[in-house]
Amino acid sequence: MSVPPAETSSPTARLAAFVEDLRQDELPSQVVIRLAQCLLDFVGVSAAGRREAESSTTFVDAVAGFTASAGPATVIGVRRRYPARDAALLNGAFAHSLDFDDTHIASGLHPGAPVIAAALAVGECEDVTGADFLTAVAVGYEVCCRIGLALGRGSYARGFHPTAVAGLFGAVAAGARLRRLTAAQVNSAFGLAGSMAAGSMQYLENGAWNKRLQPGLAAHNAIMALDLVAAGVPGADRVLEGRSGLLTGYSSTPDANALTDGLGRRWVLSGTGIKPYPACRITHGAIDAALQLRSRIGGDIPAEARFTLRIAPTADPIVGGHDARKVHPQNSVDAQFSVYFQTAVALLDGEVTWSSYDQLESARVAHLIDRIELSTGDDVTDTGAVLGCRIDGADLEEIRVDIPSGEPGGDLPWEFVEAKYRGLTGFLEKGVRDEILCWVRNLPHHRPLTALTGLLGS
């Protein structure tokens, strides 16, 4: 059965047309720079995630167990090549495992892990150029972030993980562009993806690995939707805004207008930031405040010091509260989502790195956590924090952070992004590391994507 014509005026159909019609020369220079930075960051966090996350070897073994044969697609840090769907699954999981991947605060999600994972797999198989790849990633990010905005915080309230839910559609958009699908075909692929959208926040209860897998599953399912459309399977119309569509089912506060408001003129993806710490973005305001406080008092934290920490009411269910696993985390996922742990480590060590999770059983961290009094305040931004300290009976001036470090703010310097990338990939041969950087820094160009992926599988 061939894909039937879709109606063209709905928000879903307009997004599908955007995927087909966007020209690379319509991308503002700042969008090109931001996406190149996000790609470099993706490579760095994926390479480190493959190497450092305790879950990654298990993921590789699991996929090897159900993959019947080798394929044409590269998995970062793995010599074997995989079918496109399985490569996308692993790369998306690696990118998200350290919780160090890019973040779009306004939509409450991580666009890069699902979108770039799918685009790399499809683009390598299609043998596209860097310029083609950039345009596909642009439509993928924009679709992902706009759907995240349309879902709003009401998606979290219903227990969904927006990175996986909205990320699935962004991954479909990127892959569809690389396969040169028509708007009608993109619309059908979106419609089929509506039956695959998933992602649950329930992992918070026991620090499970669901969250790490979910962007990879989104990238995998996006390619499956594209394969089904290629075979002629039609998908539902108006899958986003329809009566039984995504916004109705996945959010208590949907805003369909966000899907297309200023589409092609106002680039929502420009708000994507690069994380400086491998932890939930909602903890970063508290980490920044803790580092400032540590500097103010001269480094060492007095044994008698006590702290007050105020975060947003929306942040409290995710990184705060008074559950025992939040206050004293039992594993790395618990700790990635514990504002207590993150604040304590930042105060004690003056940094938060992946090595910080070696201190899960540290008595000094536990002792400092017990001196942190956590509360919420409507005056605090979703990712902000207000940190106070009392030493020798005297209260120091509170430190307020409204916007955490790593946010664009009109500019995100390459020096910051490159330093993070080099720090994450220090185990790679210097020549390989520099070649990857050169390929990415020169986007858009007409060099083949395979020149990049050929460097990533070692």
Side-chain angles (χ1 to χ4, degrees):
M1 179 179 179
S2 61
V3 174
E7 56 96 4
T8 58
S9 61
S10 73
T12 303
R14 290 174 62 189
L15 284 176
F18 170 73
V19 172
E20 179 186 17
D21 295 341
L22 180 72
R23 300 193 313 271
Q24 190 257 308
D25 60 11
E26 294 176 312
L27 294 174
S29 60
Q30 187 55 43
V31 166
V32 172
I33 293 170
R34 183 59 33 77
L35 291 174
Q37 291 172 334
C38 289
L39 175 58
L40 186 67
D41 192 62
F42 176 94
V43 171
V45 298
S46 299
R50 167 66 182 106
R51 182 182 176 90
E52 302 293 341
E54 69 276 25
S55 51
S56 292
T57 296
T58 304
F59 292 163
V60 171
D61 290 345
V63 172
F66 61 66
T67 300
S69 60
T74 298
V75 172
I76 294 173
V78 179
R79 292 191 180 278
R80 174 184 170 177
R81 294 164 73 83
Y82 289 77
R85 291 182 213 164
D86 297 331
L89 192 163
L90 287 172
N91 284 332
F94 295 164
H96 202 49
S97 290
L98 303 186
D99 216 325
F100 212 179
D101 44 325
D102 61 24
T103 311
H104 191 267
I105 286 179
S107 56
L109 51 74
H110 305 258
V115 171
I116 296 178
L120 276 177
V122 175
E124 184 174 20
C125 295
E126 297 292 326
D127 196 21
V128 302
T129 67
D132 294 332
F133 180 77
L134 172 70
T135 309
V137 171
V139 297
Y141 265 66
E142 191 69 4
V143 166
C144 176
C145 294
R146 283 178 173 275
I147 293 176
L149 287 176
L151 288 167
R153 299 301 173 187
S155 189
Y156 276 111
R158 288 192 172 174
F160 291 110
H161 182 202
T163 295
V165 175
L168 168 62
F169 294 90
V172 166
R177 175 67 187 218
L178 290 166
R179 289 190 177 178
R180 297 176 175 83
L181 267 58
T182 66
Q185 290 173 312
V186 178
N187 187 78
S188 261
F190 283 160
L192 294 171
S195 295
M196 305 177 189
S200 166
M201 296 293 289
Q202 186 62 23
Y203 68 87
L204 287 170
E205 190 156 312
N206 66 334
W209 291 346
N210 296 56
K211 182 176 190 285
R212 297 178 178 184
L213 273 175
Q214 285 170 171
L217 291 170
H220 172 281
N221 290 345
I223 298 174
M224 181 182 292
L226 296 173
D227 290 343
L228 288 167
V229 167
V233 178
D237 277 342
R238 304 181 70 243
V239 72
L240 299 177
E241 75 286 352
R243 182 178 60 184
S244 301
L246 190 84
L247 299 188
T248 299
Y250 288 69
S251 178
S252 58
T253 57
D255 176 15
N257 186 58
L259 295 171
T260 56
D261 181 34
L263 182 64
R265 301 188 309 275
R266 181 174 63 86
W267 286 88
V268 172
L269 70 82
S270 296
T272 306
I274 303 294
K275 279 186 172 186
Y277 318 115
C280 176
R281 189 59 161 155
I282 300 173
T283 68
H284 283 207
I287 295 171
D288 284 343
L291 295 176
Q292 291 179 38
L293 178 59
R294 188 177 193 275
S295 178
R296 179 185 293 179
I297 63 180
D300 292 337
I301 305 299
E304 73 280 6
R306 303 194 69 82
F307 305 90
T308 59
L309 178 62
R310 197 159 70 251
I311 60 177
T314 53
D316 194 57
I318 300 174
V319 300
H322 301 286
D323 181 83
R325 295 185 73 111
K326 286 295 187 188
V327 181
H328 293 291
Q330 301 300 299
N331 57 43
S332 61
V333 178
D334 285 345
Q336 286 170 321
F337 288 82
S338 168
V339 75
Y340 298 95
F341 180 86
Q342 301 299 334
T343 303
V345 168
L347 286 167
L348 289 168
D349 297 340
E351 63 178 5
V352 174
T353 69
W354 188 249
S355 298
S356 299
Y357 298 105
D358 294 339
Q359 302 185 66
L360 280 165
E361 298 180 5
S362 166
R364 71 184 190 121
V365 172
H367 179 60
L368 182 51
I369 285 174
D370 288 338
R371 289 183 279 148
I372 299 173
E373 179 183 343
L374 181 68
S375 63
T376 63
D378 292 333
D379 63 320
V380 186
T381 63
D382 286 346
T383 52
V386 180
L387 182 63
C389 178
R390 169 168 284 200
I391 301 176
D392 292 331
D395 291 325
L396 302 184
E397 182 181 354
E398 289 185 328
I399 294 177
R400 171 182 289 274
V401 173
D402 292 322
I403 301 175
S405 54
E407 284 304 290
D411 181 36
L412 190 62
W414 265 109
E415 291 76 13
F416 166 72
V417 181
E418 286 188 24
K420 178 183 173 182
Y421 162 76
R422 291 186 183 280
L424 288 168
T425 57
F427 57 88
L428 293 178
E429 180 187 337
K430 184 178 183 301
V432 171
R433 196 166 66 242
D434 289 347
E435 279 190 68
I436 292 170
L437 176 59
C438 181
W439 194 97
V440 175
R441 279 292 307 252
N442 288 305
L443 277 175
H445 49 58
H446 294 287
R447 294 177 62 196
L449 180 63
T450 51
L452 173 64
T453 56
L455 299 168
L456 300 180
S458 57

